[in-house]
Amino acid sequence: MVVAYRGATVLEGTGAPARAGTTVIVDGERIRFVGADGDVPTDLLADAEVVDLTGRHLIPGLIDSHQHLATPPDRALAEAVLRRDLLGGVTAVRDMADDLRQVADLARAALVGEIVAPDICYAALMAGPGFFDDPRTWQVSQGVTPGEVPWMQAITPATDLTLAVAMARGTFASAIKVYADLPGETVAAIVAEAKRQGIAVWAHAAVFPASPGEVIAAGVDTVSHVQLMVHEAAGRLLTTYRDKPPIDYARFEGGDDPVTGALFAQMRERGIVLDATASLWGRIAEELRTGEEALGDEATEAIEAAEARERAAANDRVSAALTGQAWRIGVTVSAGTDRDPDPEEPWPPLFDELDFLVDRCGLTPAEALRCASWGGAVSMAAEDRLGTIEVGKQADLVILADDPVVHLSALRSVVAVVKRGRMFDRAGGATATVRGAGAGE
């Protein structure tokens, strides 16, 4: 089926300014033409369904580069969150390690159109043995032993990495996530074997005892959680995930520290994406404040909550400063949320991350949107098919009533979303109207 979206103001996501009076022609799942309304070849319009978007704005589908959809697995909750996200303009997500037995089926169902959901790519996790007493590892390995399954492996000096990487690939994961309690030489060995087998590696910015510098030197494809970059300047050697050294927060709040600056320069040169999750700590600080108020002034728990809130607030300030520093240096930044699923929120949490990038990190609305489209595509190694409105790319589009280049509040004016050439009218609500060829047609 061929559909011509006519008369829109199109922000292509390439970094170029938005263009008014533009036509985008979609043929099946792909974009076939992008150009001025008056320049469309007649033969392309001959058999096309025309959708008049005069006065509307068209942007690339958004990508949340850090989600957790199955910790613990809850299929109904995951489907509700994914439906909300797609109808809010999120056409792809990156799941950063969960119970892949469920995530894999969610990804399949999203791909073939069984559920209203963004496309999903996901990672299998590797960490040191000490991490696997974390209760989350049991939540995502119910019925089996965490650390001993293909999607969640404990790595030791005796591990056969060729087999371990092959097992991770067998889950149909897009990447291996390197999480915690691994030394730098092991991180480097995992990356080398993963590259040999053709699978990406996504890592926390500090893996403990592997430092941010060692993680970057290993050649990972993305690093997550910008506040962890400060551990490159730790006053002692890093040890384990649970034994983080004290942080001199004030040192980094200016966004000009030379140590983190050097790390970001290396990331830029190596093409490593920063999955900043920058707004996460502000949300945590607010949740802790609410809990602290409920405890009362004299409770020991309230004192502990206040201390935790202060740490979260400091991490929030550092996250803003370092994300801005990385952006100015030229690092590719993606927009990830790492928020617990909450289908009661009317709009995707990704909108809060984009607001943070503008309000706290110094990006323009157009730059923030590029982080959530092209930056997200690069984080998934999918920039050849996602992230921009260009000929040959997958037809993932968001139709807005208002101009997001003026203010990101326009994201809350979604009229319809196009994923893989299929249109979902937001006004359809819980029974979204789907236009275009269905999976079984």
Side-chain angles (χ1 to χ4, degrees):
M1 181 174 183
V2 179
V3 181
Y5 298 94
R6 301 271 281 163
T9 297
V10 176
L11 183 69
E12 297 173 356
T14 61
R19 294 190 291 169
T22 299
T23 293
V24 176
I25 295 182
V26 172
D27 188 349
E29 293 190 353
R30 297 287 168 176
I31 297 172
R32 188 172 175 185
F33 175 88
V34 181
D37 289 337
D39 294 340
V40 183
T42 304
D43 62 307
L44 290 183
L45 289 175
D47 298 318
E49 175 188 348
V50 176
V51 178
D52 184 5
L53 295 184
T54 302
R56 304 299 197 190
H57 298 264
L58 199 61
I59 64 173
L62 303 175
I63 298 171
D64 187 336
S65 64
H66 199 125
Q67 282 195 342
H68 290 283
L69 297 170
T71 300
D74 182 331
R75 181 63 179 245
L77 175 62
E79 288 192 21
V81 168
L82 290 166
R83 186 182 194 89
R84 186 271 318 279
D85 285 359
L86 179 68
L87 295 178
V90 178
T91 54
V93 301
R94 195 172 69 133
D95 186 287
M96 296 296 286
D98 284 298
D99 190 333
L100 296 192
R101 293 169 296 185
Q102 181 171 110
V103 174
D105 192 56
L106 286 167
R108 179 203 59 80
L111 180 65
V112 302
E114 285 182 7
I115 60 175
V116 177
D119 285 345
I120 304 166
C121 73
Y122 54 86
L125 184 141
M126 293 184 181
F131 172 64
F132 288 91
D133 62 357
D134 187 305
R136 294 172 297 175
T137 67
W138 292 90
Q139 290 176 336
V140 302
S141 304
Q142 295 175 38
V144 289
T145 302
E148 299 179 7
V149 292
W151 63 92
M152 188 148 293
Q153 299 183 61
I155 305 300
T156 73
T159 298
D160 180 343
L161 288 181
T162 299
L163 178 59
V165 170
M167 289 171 63
R169 290 183 66 228
T171 67
F172 208 58
S174 298
I176 292 165
K177 180 179 179 179
V178 176
Y179 193 90
D181 292 354
L182 293 170
E185 58 267 25
T186 303
V187 175
I190 291 170
V191 173
E193 181 58 30
K195 288 185 181 298
R196 191 185 73 81
Q197 294 195 35
I199 187 170
V201 178
W202 306 335
H204 272 198
V207 175
F208 303 98
S211 67
E214 289 175 315
V215 170
I216 291 167
V220 300
D221 297 281
T222 73
V223 295
S224 295
H225 305 309
V226 68
Q227 84 283 352
L228 293 175
M229 301 292 285
V230 302
H231 291 292
E232 185 68 13
R236 61 169 172 82
L237 292 176
L238 304 183
T239 55
T240 69
Y241 171 73
R242 293 178 178 81
D243 180 32
K244 298 180 179 67
I247 299 169
D248 178 7
Y249 288 104
R251 167 178 173 174
F252 300 97
E253 290 179 7
D256 55 3
D257 188 84
V259 170
T260 52
L263 291 177
F264 291 139
Q266 292 176 46
M267 289 178 63
R268 179 194 63 211
E269 295 304 315
R270 290 173 172 266
I272 298 172
V273 177
L274 176 64
D275 165 35
T277 63
S279 65
L280 174 65
W281 284 100
R283 175 69 172 243
I284 292 173
E286 178 59 26
E287 290 172 350
L288 288 170
R289 183 191 65 77
T290 301
E292 177 190 347
E293 290 176 348
L295 288 169
D297 295 335
E298 298 182 3
T300 301
E301 293 87 349
I303 295 172
E304 294 173 351
E307 292 173 348
R309 176 176 55 80
E310 287 301 322
R311 287 194 299 273
N315 275 318
D316 174 67
R317 296 190 297 271
V318 166
S319 294
L322 294 186
T323 303
Q325 183 183 27
W327 179 260
R328 293 189 298 274
I329 287 172
V331 175
T332 297
V333 175
S334 68
T337 56
D338 195 15
R339 292 258 288 274
D340 290 333
D342 182 1
E344 297 303 316
E345 295 186 16
W347 295 101
L350 184 62
F351 292 3
D352 295 334
E353 180 76 4
L354 298 182
D355 287 338
F356 190 95
L357 292 176
V358 172
D359 298 339
R360 301 283 303 282
C361 305
L363 280 68
T364 67
E367 289 169 340
L369 288 169
R370 184 163 158 80
C371 292
S373 54
W374 185 79
V378 177
S379 78
M380 301 190 302
E383 63 271 27
D384 60 330
R385 62 183 181 87
L386 302 178
T388 57
I389 300 176
E390 296 181 279
V391 173
K393 292 286 187 79
Q394 188 167 300
D396 290 352
L397 314 168
V398 186
I399 302 168
L400 304 169
D402 300 327
D403 187 354
V405 174
V406 174
H407 198 280
L408 288 179
S409 60
L411 291 176
R412 293 167 176 83
S413 70
V414 174
V415 175
V417 180
V418 179
K419 192 197 90 168
R420 291 182 174 267
R422 303 186 184 104
M423 179 185 282
F424 298 79
D425 293 325
R426 182 172 173 82
T431 55
T433 301
V434 182
R435 298 177 60 187
E441 296 177 353

